């Protein structure tokens, strides 16, 4: 099969502009309606590709290629395309801002649904819940949007249009800061005894043949020593961290819950206090941990650093998020690769501490392990082991061996 990324991306743009772009009104949403996540993903389909393939960028009208103009023709001419995209970014940012408080909102909306077989639909109160998916997606969207409008501003001479661009950038910065605060307050630590249900499940994941033993608990704790030290440096959950460090019978998990956790400490910045009450269970979920890790990664990308996209307020939040990100990735990659012979992640399917198992969970863990191995410059032999796990998962998917994933609401 021959891959042609440029042609494929232009086909996506052509489909978006035909479906959503004709006329003055943009057709947001899909069959399920609008929400802050899918709307952001739609915008990212337009904003992200030019950051990877400069040859298809459209923020410089004089340099926009003919095939790019053709793909986005419903948006207008080469001059009108970036103007339209700026307005779309501004419209998104306004639509997902609370009119009473002026704070960005990150509700799940139509993204949330009830489990298969359930007749009732989520209530309006449930759809208004803010979720980690929206925080993480907003980090990626706003960094891409800020980079786009800054590059486009240099091509604009009309004062009224430059003012519009400035307003959009300010709103994007505001949403980025709020998303970072939400992610920070959604990070959580769960501590449990090694001989508890959760502890035994973790031990069986690490060592399926023998399961729980005091020696295995000690080995797990020893391998996670730097993570436990980092949790103390993080400063949150101080009592739990102290107990974890002092009691050799305790094990733990860390990562992201589905939203702001109960009793999460407020995040204070020079301009705002983010203190929305948390409702999420203070226990990490693999799915939301992977979503958060992938979103936060954008804050430390080369482009973000070189372009200076983060202001001082955001850089302060980024330091905390960087530590949370590093601790979560190190925790899961350590657990998944513990041992010299066969890694736990190689035993399919992955089993969580609430005793659910699924090939989907294995895929999530593989994502965390792969990034951790690349970040630390692991040898090719380790990466090859992960590649074999992916091959095994693909084979099981074709044969229908794996169980359906159990994703938390």
């Amino acid at each position: 099969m021959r891959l042609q990324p440029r042609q494929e991306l232009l086909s996506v743009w052509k489909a978006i502009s035909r479906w959503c772009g004709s006329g003055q009104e943009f057709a947001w949403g899909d069959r399920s309606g609008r929400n802050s996540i899918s709307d952001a993903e739609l915008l990212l389909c337009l904003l992200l590709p030019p950051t990877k393939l400069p040859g298809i960028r459209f923020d410089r009208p004089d340099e926009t290629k003919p095939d790019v103009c053709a793909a986005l023709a419903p948006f207008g001419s080469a001059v009108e395309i970036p103007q339209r995209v700026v307005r779309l970014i501004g419209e998104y940012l306004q639509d997902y801002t609370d009119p009473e408080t002026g704070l960005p909102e990150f509700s799940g909306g139509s993204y949330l649904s009830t489990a298969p077989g359930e007749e009732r639909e989520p209530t309006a109160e449930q759809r208004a819940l803010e979720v980690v998916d929206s925080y993480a997606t907003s980090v990626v969207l706003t960094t891409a949007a800020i980079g786009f409008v800054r590059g486009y501003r240099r091509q604009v001479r009309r004062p009224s249009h430059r003012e519009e661009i400035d307003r959009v950038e300010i709103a994007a910065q505001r949403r980025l800061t709020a998303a970072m605060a939400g992610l920070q307050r959604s990070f959580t630590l769960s501590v449990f005894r090694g001989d508890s249900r959760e502890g035994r499940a973790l031990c069986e994941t690490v060592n399926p043949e023998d399961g729980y033993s005091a020696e295995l608990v000690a080995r797990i704790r020893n391998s996670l020593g730097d993570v436990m030290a980092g949790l103390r440096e993080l400063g949150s959950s101080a009592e739990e961290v102290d107990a974890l460090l002092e009691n050799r019978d305790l094990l733990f998990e860390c990562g992201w819950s589905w939203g702001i956790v109960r009793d999460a400490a407020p995040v204070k910045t020079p301009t705002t206090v983010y203190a929305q009450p948390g409702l999420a269970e203070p226990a990490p979920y693999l799915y939301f941990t992977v979503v958060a890790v992938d979103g936060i990664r954008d804050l430390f990308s080369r482009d973000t650093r070189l372009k200076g996209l983060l202001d001082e307020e955001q850089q302060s939040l980024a330091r905390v998020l960087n530590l949370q990100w590093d601790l979560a990735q190190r925790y899961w990659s350590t657990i998944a690769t513990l041992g010299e012979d066969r890694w736990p992640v190689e035993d399919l399917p992955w089993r969580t501490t609430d005793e659910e198992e699924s090939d989907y969970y294995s895929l999530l863990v593989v994502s965390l392990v792969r990034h951790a191995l690349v970040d630390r410059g692991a040898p090719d032999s380790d990466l090859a082991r992960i590649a074999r796990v992916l091959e095994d998962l693909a084979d099981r998917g074709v044969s229908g061996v794996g169980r359906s994933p159990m994703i938390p609401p």
Side-chain angles (χ1 to χ4, degrees):
M1 182 175 64
R2 185 180 179 185
L3 297 178
Q4 298 178 304
R6 182 188 182 94
Q7 286 73 19
E8 294 296 329
L9 288 169
L10 292 178
S11 295
V12 171
W13 283 0
K14 186 177 295 184
I16 291 174
S17 60
R18 283 179 176 176
W19 175 257
C20 303
S22 58
Q24 294 301 312
E25 296 296 327
F26 192 74
W28 295 97
D30 53 24
R31 295 174 183 175
S32 301
R34 295 189 63 181
N35 63 73
S36 64
I37 302 163
S38 62
D39 283 358
E41 291 169 342
L42 184 60
L43 282 177
L44 282 170
C45 288
L46 297 170
L47 294 175
L48 275 188
T51 66
K52 310 299 181 184
L53 296 172
I56 62 173
R57 64 190 303 171
F58 50 80
D59 60 341
R60 299 175 182 175
D62 293 342
E63 302 175 18
T64 304
K65 304 297 184 183
D67 55 352
V68 174
C69 289
L72 296 173
F75 283 0
S77 66
V79 173
E80 294 170 322
I81 289 170
Q83 294 175 357
R84 185 75 185 280
V85 173
V86 168
R87 287 197 296 271
L88 291 176
I89 297 170
E91 184 178 327
Y92 172 89
L93 296 170
Q94 181 178 355
D95 289 348
Y96 294 104
T97 296
D98 189 314
E100 295 182 3
T101 64
L103 292 175
E105 61 96 6
F106 302 87
S107 61
S110 62
Y111 184 78
L112 303 176
S113 61
T114 50
E118 289 280 346
E119 295 182 0
R120 60 188 178 87
E121 290 294 319
T123 64
E125 184 179 15
Q126 290 170 331
R127 290 191 186 277
L129 292 174
E130 295 196 347
V131 291
V132 161
D133 306 63
S134 186
Y135 296 138
T137 307
S138 288
V139 166
V140 182
L141 172 64
T142 51
T143 51
I146 293 165
F148 171 78
V149 297
R150 286 185 180 178
Y152 176 49
R153 183 190 286 110
R154 292 192 288 268
Q155 315 299 316
V156 176
R157 297 290 179 266
R158 197 169 65 209
S160 61
H161 196 193
R162 290 178 68 91
E163 290 173 3
E164 179 185 14
I165 292 172
D166 291 342
R167 287 194 299 271
V168 168
E169 180 177 348
I170 290 171
Q173 292 282 8
R174 188 183 305 118
R175 185 170 186 85
L176 175 57
T177 302
M180 293 172 69
L183 283 172
Q184 184 175 321
R185 301 182 70 219
S186 300
F187 184 85
T188 189
L189 168 70
S190 175
V191 178
F192 41 82
R193 291 187 59 84
D195 59 358
S196 66
R197 172 193 169 193
E198 296 86 353
R200 290 180 180 275
L202 180 59
C203 289
E204 290 171 8
T205 296
V206 170
N207 188 351
E209 294 182 359
D210 299 327
Y212 167 80
S213 69
E215 292 76 16
L216 180 56
V217 170
R219 185 155 67 94
I220 293 173
R221 285 178 56 89
N222 184 61
S223 66
L224 294 171
D226 57 344
V227 178
M228 291 191 288
L231 289 169
R232 169 168 281 178
E233 182 183 342
L234 195 59
S236 59
S237 306
E239 292 183 5
E240 285 186 295
V241 173
D242 287 343
L244 177 64
L245 292 171
E246 294 170 4
N247 190 337
R248 297 182 180 274
D249 295 327
L250 297 180
L251 293 173
F252 70 100
E253 288 182 320
C254 63
W256 274 265
S257 189
W258 59 261
I260 296 173
V261 297
R262 293 194 295 267
D263 300 323
V267 169
K268 299 179 181 179
T269 70
T271 59
T272 310
V273 176
Y274 298 94
Q276 303 96 316
L279 298 174
E281 179 185 7
Y285 292 101
L286 259 175
Y287 169 75
F288 296 108
T289 296
V290 170
V291 167
V293 164
D294 286 347
I296 293 169
R297 187 180 296 275
D298 257 41
L299 296 173
F300 317 119
S301 70
R302 184 172 180 272
D303 280 351
T304 301
R305 295 196 308 271
L306 291 180
K307 294 178 181 179
L309 299 184
L310 304 184
D311 60 25
E312 291 186 9
E313 192 172 63
Q314 292 156 355
Q315 288 173 8
S316 177
L317 293 172
R319 284 190 285 272
V320 177
L321 284 174
N322 190 15
L323 180 55
Q324 292 176 334
W325 174 84
D326 184 52
L327 292 174
Q329 187 164 263
R330 273 195 287 166
Y331 172 85
W332 290 100
S333 62
T334 299
I335 291 294
T337 60
L338 193 61
E340 297 180 358
D341 297 327
R342 187 168 179 81
W343 288 346
V345 73
E346 294 175 303
D347 286 314
L348 305 177
W350 184 268
R351 188 165 182 254
T352 63
T353 54
D354 55 1
E355 300 180 316
E356 296 286 350
E357 61 181 32
S358 165
D359 283 354
Y360 181 69
Y361 292 142
S362 295
L363 187 62
L364 294 173
V365 174
V366 164
S367 173
L368 294 168
V369 172
R370 182 183 68 84
H371 283 304
L373 293 177
V374 172
D375 289 345
R376 72 168 185 251
D380 290 344
S381 57
D382 286 352
L383 294 172
R385 294 177 72 168
I386 291 301
R388 286 193 292 272
V389 175
L390 290 172
E391 291 174 358
D392 291 342
L393 287 170
D395 291 340
R396 289 164 65 89
V398 171
S399 61
V401 171
R403 294 187 182 182
S404 299
M406 300 292 290
I407 299 177

